Amino acid sequence: MATKASPEDVRRLAALSRIEISDADLQSFAEEFDAILAYVGKLEELTLPSVSERVLPAVRNVLREDGEPHAPGVYTEKIVEQFPERDGNYLSVKQILSHD
Amino acid sequence: MTKLNELTITEAARMLRAGECTVRELWDACALVAQERSLELNAYLELFDADNVAIAAAQKRIDEEGEKAPLLCGIPLAIKDNILIEGHVASAASKMLENYTATYDATVIKKLKEAGALFVGRTNMDEFAMGSSTENSAYGTVKNPHDVSRVPGGSSGGSASAVASHGAIASLGSDTGGSIRQPAAHCGLVGLKPTYGAVSRYGAIALGSSLDQIGPFGKSVADTKALFETIYGKDPLDATTTDSSTYPVRECGEKLRIGVPRHLLTEGIDADLLEAFETTLTKFSDEGHTLVDIELPTSSYALPVYYVIMPAEASANLARYDGVRYGHTARGKDLLEDYVKSKTEGFGKETIRRILLGTFVLSSGYIDAYYRKADAARGLLTSEYDEAFKTCDVIAFPTTPSPAFKFGEKTDPVSMYLEDVFTVTANLTGMPALSVPMGTVVRAGSTLPVGMHFTAPKGAEDVLFKAGAFVTGETL
């Protein structure tokens, strides 16, 4: 697991994360990544129990019946106020499908 | 006479009921000091105007109900900036949410309002709670009131600094890997990370959803307990919340059995801090409590496990900030460019680092080696703690290996991450943990507080309070 991160790896992860990293920062991110991964890589030494021996959490799969809806529109204005762009009570976004 | 803002919750509540001070006077005392020290400490991102209606209502309730009024009625509190208060900005100290106004109250805020508590302001923190020094805030660092050349710890550094400087009577923070307990230790306060699920996270800005808990800072164990008892409980709006029947009740006798994992204390801890720890342990045994040697062999892997799980969850949680519906918005030539510009401009460096790290450990080809392995190790760690709790009531070690450090002292990420070496395990196991002041050490002429850390089985906060009160010399 002794992974080495190259500036190119960092650029690829940034693209997956929808983040842009300047060329100047790529190298330092890669170096920090190496240090972090070297530390986290200690995990490799661990021998772990099989899946069947694992303990499940006390609270899981919490479901409830739908019910008691609030009156329509009572929160609309507050939420719409946070929109960067609005068209009436609609969220205005860029066109995502092209007609070309 | 002690100044009003320097009182504990229990002292202030007594004086309010005895008519020795008014809610207005208590508010004014806290608000004034918060204002006076705001430039120097930067503990608050925003100080709220006095809520005259709430102040009058709290006074009326105390006058009418007396002892029956909630203990927190009329008490000014500081709230970490990742907890939503309707109508106020909640920025998580990020440029991303600089102009985001909370559209609803977090459940903890709703409960505090019902109890009549008042809010002095929202406190500075590491951006999205990522850090151990509050140096990652987009709005400047927070200073430690014990020595302003030092960090208050983090990520809830503002909540700790605000209370330690008496700019609030008590406060709320959040703890994902030690973010309440470590700043509590560095600022000489009591800090609690409740059992996972004990306190609702509805209205808390998420970092690592399997780790995050909201919890209190207080000047005493009694204050911390009072705040916890006001905010805890099952909440239909947070499916991870538990109730008193979820975990078996832990019976412990008058005398506690304190488990000490000696093998974790052999290196990396400052000698005088370890001495303060040993002195405190001796006080326990002198009073008839029992010290038990315990083994937690997987503990040395806890921090690597944490730095896989937490970034993985952070990268998923922070994906929601895309510039489309709320938060920082930048526009490019197409929708993809909108996302990229908004995120790149909105997030700080440590946030980006953790998003990338999380994306890496979850990516095809690495998820088994990192994320799945860490998740399994987490289970092993929990079963070791469960095993240890068969022979002891609480587990004790120092909260941090060293006292508060100077600004800029820890420049590489790994050395900063090591600040949380003792605290992360309670988040990974979901167990409740408390830091209480256990003494002081001297660094370069400054007297700095250090903390003792107790972990208890899930649902056993009361055992923690008992152990903590012994250290502080309180009678609960």
Side-chain angles (χ1 to χ4, degrees):
Chain A
M1 201 159 60
T3 318
K4 274 283 192 191
S6 68
E8 210 32 62
D9 294 330
V10 174
R11 195 196 302 277
R12 188 180 57 83
L13 289 171
L16 285 170
S17 316
R18 308 286 194 239
I19 290 170
E20 203 167 74
I21 294 178
S22 69
D23 288 345
D25 285 340
L26 279 177
Q27 187 60 39
S28 64
F29 265 111
E31 282 164 17
E32 286 160 2
F33 251 66
D34 279 346
I36 296 167
L37 292 179
Y39 184 70
V40 166
K42 268 184 77 171
L43 280 178
E44 202 177 6
E45 314 159 6
L46 259 183
T47 314
L48 293 166
S50 66
V51 175
S52 59
E53 291 169 42
R54 286 181 204 156
V55 191
L56 291 169
V59 178
R60 60 201 177 98
N61 298 343
V62 179
L63 301 172
R64 63 161 177 81
E65 293 298 321
D66 282 343
E68 298 172 43
H70 58 75
V74 291
Y75 299 113
T76 306
E77 187 51 37
K78 270 192 240 167
I79 292 167
V80 170
E81 268 179 11
Q82 299 294 322
F83 290 171
E85 282 175 66
R86 66 189 283 184
D87 182 354
N89 278 346
Y90 292 101
L91 170 65
S92 178
V93 292
K94 277 211 171 74
Q95 183 177 328
I96 53 167
L97 295 176
S98 156
H99 296 295
D100 298 339
Chain B
M1 196 186 100
T2 313
K3 291 178 186 156
L4 293 178
N5 58 305
E6 293 177 11
L7 298 171
T8 61
I9 294 175
T10 41
E11 289 163 353
R14 189 200 61 75
M15 285 182 71
L16 287 169
R17 280 153 190 72
E20 292 168 29
C21 74
T22 64
V23 173
R24 172 70 63 180
E25 286 163 352
L26 184 64
W27 166 271
D28 284 347
C30 289
L32 181 70
V33 168
Q35 181 69 49
E36 277 174 356
R37 302 204 68 183
S38 64
L39 271 179
E40 180 195 15
L41 297 174
N42 200 26
Y44 284 98
L45 289 173
E46 185 188 358
L47 289 167
F48 300 153
D49 292 335
D51 183 341
N52 296 323
V53 175
I55 291 172
Q59 186 66 56
K60 185 162 179 273
R61 195 161 168 191
I62 290 167
D63 292 343
E64 288 176 2
E65 298 177 26
E67 290 304 321
K68 287 202 181 98
L71 204 61
L72 284 160
C73 191
I75 304 292
L77 304 173
I79 305 294
K80 190 174 182 179
D81 193 34
N82 61 353
I83 300 171
L84 272 53
I85 307 176
E86 188 179 345
H88 287 286
V89 169
S91 79
S94 179
K95 288 282 174 214
M96 181 58 88
L97 294 174
E98 189 168 15
N99 298 313
Y100 171 71
T101 302
T103 52
Y104 61 96
D105 277 333
T107 296
V108 292
I109 295 300
K110 189 166 161 272
K111 289 184 177 219
L112 289 174
K113 283 182 176 175
E114 282 165 4
L118 307 171
F119 307 115
V120 183
R122 52 190 180 92
T123 56
N124 204 348
M125 54 186 280
D126 284 298
E127 182 182 7
F128 287 108
M130 297 182 186
S132 310
S133 66
T134 323
E135 289 170 293
N136 294 331
S137 168
Y139 305 101
T141 58
V142 180
K143 315 294 184 294
N144 188 322
H146 295 274
D147 176 351
V148 293
S149 69
R150 290 171 192 273
V151 304
S155 67
S156 313
S159 290
S161 182
V163 177
S165 61
H166 302 293
I169 303 290
S171 64
L172 287 189
S174 68
D175 190 315
T176 305
S179 282
I180 291 172
R181 292 159 287 152
Q182 184 253 19
H186 284 345
C187 291
L189 299 172
V190 180
L192 172 73
K193 196 287 288 182
T195 306
Y196 182 75
V199 176
S200 167
R201 283 110 36 101
Y202 178 70
I205 297 174
L207 166 55
S209 298
S210 75
L211 306 156
D212 296 342
Q213 268 294 284
I214 293 172
F217 285 93
K219 295 175 196 167
S220 67
V221 174
D223 282 11
T224 308
K225 183 170 183 276
L227 255 176
F228 170 67
E229 287 173 349
T230 307
I231 60 174
Y232 89 111
K234 199 168 180 66
D235 179 8
L237 299 172
D238 177 355
T240 64
T241 49
T242 56
D243 58 31
S244 56
S245 66
T246 309
Y247 300 111
V249 177
R250 287 285 295 198
E251 298 290 352
C252 69
E254 197 49 45
K255 299 297 177 191
L256 292 170
R257 296 169 301 163
I258 319 277
V260 185
R262 293 271 168 209
H263 63 102
L264 296 178
L265 309 175
T266 53
E267 59 179 348
I269 304 170
D270 290 2
D272 47 0
L273 195 150
L274 199 55
E275 203 181 298
F277 177 72
E278 294 294 348
T279 306
T280 313
L281 285 182
T282 308
K283 275 189 210 156
F284 271 107
S285 53
D286 286 351
E287 287 293 318
H289 301 284
T290 318
L291 303 182
V292 185
D293 281 332
I294 55 160
E295 298 278 334
L296 302 165
T298 308
S299 283
S300 54
Y301 297 94
L303 199 60
V305 168
Y306 177 76
Y307 272 94
V308 172
I309 305 269
M310 179 274 299
E313 295 183 4
S315 71
N317 271 326
L318 270 61
R320 76 187 69 178
Y321 304 109
D322 54 13
V324 174
R325 290 148 300 148
Y326 59 93
H328 182 77
T329 305
R331 292 289 176 244
K333 66 172 167 32
D334 53 22
L335 192 62
L336 178 62
E337 226 174 63
D338 286 4
Y339 294 154
V340 173
K341 276 178 177 281
S342 299
K343 284 172 182 284
T344 305
E345 291 174 13
F347 289 138
K349 200 159 189 184
E350 179 64 19
T351 304
I352 289 177
R353 189 180 288 127
R354 293 196 196 187
I355 291 172
L356 298 186
L357 191 59
T359 305
F360 173 76
V361 299
L362 292 174
S363 62
S364 169
Y366 296 103
I367 188 167
D368 283 326
Y370 288 98
Y371 183 75
R372 294 208 174 98
K373 180 119 191 198
D375 193 40
R378 187 176 182 178
L380 183 60
L381 204 56
T382 308
S383 50
E384 283 176 10
Y385 266 71
D386 286 339
E387 191 60 32
F389 281 126
K390 288 178 181 166
T391 62
C392 63
D393 301 310
V394 287
I395 292 171
F397 35 75
T399 309
T400 59
S402 313
F405 48 94
K406 296 213 164 195
F407 290 98
E409 198 175 296
K410 294 181 195 288
T411 47
D412 69 293
V414 174
S415 76
M416 186 67 83
Y417 298 171
L418 282 165
E419 264 294 296
D420 298 331
V421 67
F422 289 127
T423 51
V424 293
T425 319
N427 303 82
L428 291 169
T429 62
M431 290 167 184
L434 184 81
S435 178
V436 289
M438 63 169 178
T440 55
V441 297
V442 177
R443 292 287 177 284
S446 290
T447 303
L448 303 170
V450 288
M452 184 149 182
H453 186 279
F454 295 105
T455 313
K458 291 190 184 95
E461 275 84 356
D462 273 344
V463 184
L464 290 180
F465 295 137
K466 194 172 169 181
F470 177 80
V471 177
T472 59
E474 289 171 66
T475 313
L476 293 181

